Amino acid sequence: MPVFRIFMVIALALTLSGCASKFKTYNGPEVTQVLVKKGERRMYLLHGSEVLKSYRIDLGFEPQGHKAIEGDGKTPEGLYFINRRNANSRFHLSLGISYPNPQDRALAAELGKSAGGDIFIHGGPPKGSGYKRFTDWTWGCIAVSDAQIEDIYAMVKNGTPILIRP
C-alpha cells in the first residue's frame, strides 16, 4: 500500500507541474513607461528613468517609418498606452497598444484609407508558422519570445504609457 501512495503522490505532482501557468506574478517596482527604440530593436521597461528590463524585439516587416495605413507592415511611432490584455492570443500572450490615436486616424483619412488597429506587444512567432525570430516578421506589432511576454504581461499594467521611437 505505501508504494501505491508514493506512486499517487508522484503522479499528482507531475500532473500539477504540467499545469504550470503562463501567468506570472511580479512584486518589483512599478513599470511607469515602456520605451521602444525601433532602430535598436530594443524595448525597455522603465521605473522613472531606471531600466528594469530590456528586450530584443522584432517589428513589422516594413520597420522604417511610422504606420500610416492598415496593412503597410509598419510599427507605429509616437506616444500610446497599454489598453488591453489578451490571455488567449495566438501569439501566447499579448498587450494591446492604443494605436490608432486621433492623429493616426486623420492621417489615414487624408490618404483615403483605414489606419488599421490591433497593434500588440506579443510573443511568438507561433510554432509551424514559418516565421523566424529576429526577422521583423509581424504586421506592425512588437514581438518578443514567449518566455519574455510572460514577464512583460506580469509587469506592465493597463494604462502604462508606451513611447515608440524611430
Side-chain angles (χ1 to χ4, degrees):
M1 191 68 156
V3 172
F4 179 73
R5 282 189 181 164
I6 292 171
F7 174 77
M8 291 305 293
V9 168
I10 291 171
L12 179 61
L14 289 173
T15 300
L16 291 176
S17 70
C19 296
S21 177
K22 62 184 175 181
F23 301 107
K24 296 182 178 180
T25 58
Y26 174 71
N27 296 316
E30 176 187 8
V31 174
T32 58
Q33 182 180 27
V34 177
L35 173 62
V36 173
K37 294 184 177 181
K38 289 171 51 175
E40 295 177 14
R41 300 300 188 280
R42 300 294 301 176
M43 179 171 64
Y44 303 91
L45 305 186
L46 304 172
H47 175 75
S49 60
E50 176 189 358
V51 175
L52 299 174
K53 292 279 190 168
S54 172
Y55 301 96
R56 169 73 169 81
I57 59 171
D58 295 328
L59 299 168
F61 63 83
E62 291 291 339
Q64 300 294 323
H66 175 60
K67 183 168 194 60
I69 60 171
E70 184 173 19
D72 66 6
K74 296 178 186 267
T75 301
E77 296 171 356
L79 179 62
Y80 300 93
F81 296 89
I82 301 301
N83 65 353
R84 62 200 183 278
R85 310 170 91 66
N86 184 353
N88 297 310
S89 170
R90 69 181 264 232
F91 300 100
H92 193 57
L93 292 169
S94 61
L95 295 173
I97 297 172
S98 63
Y99 175 88
N101 62 28
Q103 296 85 359
D104 297 322
R105 285 189 197 94
L107 173 62
E110 286 177 20
L111 299 171
K113 305 280 185 174
S114 167
D118 286 338
I119 301 297
F120 290 85
I121 301 169
H122 61 66
K127 291 172 182 52
S129 68
Y131 295 114
K132 293 182 171 72
R133 286 280 334 261
F134 308 127
T135 58
D136 291 331
W137 57 273
T138 78
W139 284 86
C141 295
I142 299 164
V144 295
S145 73
D146 288 352
Q148 291 169 331
I149 193 62
E150 289 177 6
D151 291 338
I152 296 163
Y153 197 88
M155 294 175 74
V156 178
K157 304 301 177 211
N158 287 3
T160 303
I162 176 169
L163 179 59
I164 305 170
R165 293 189 174 160

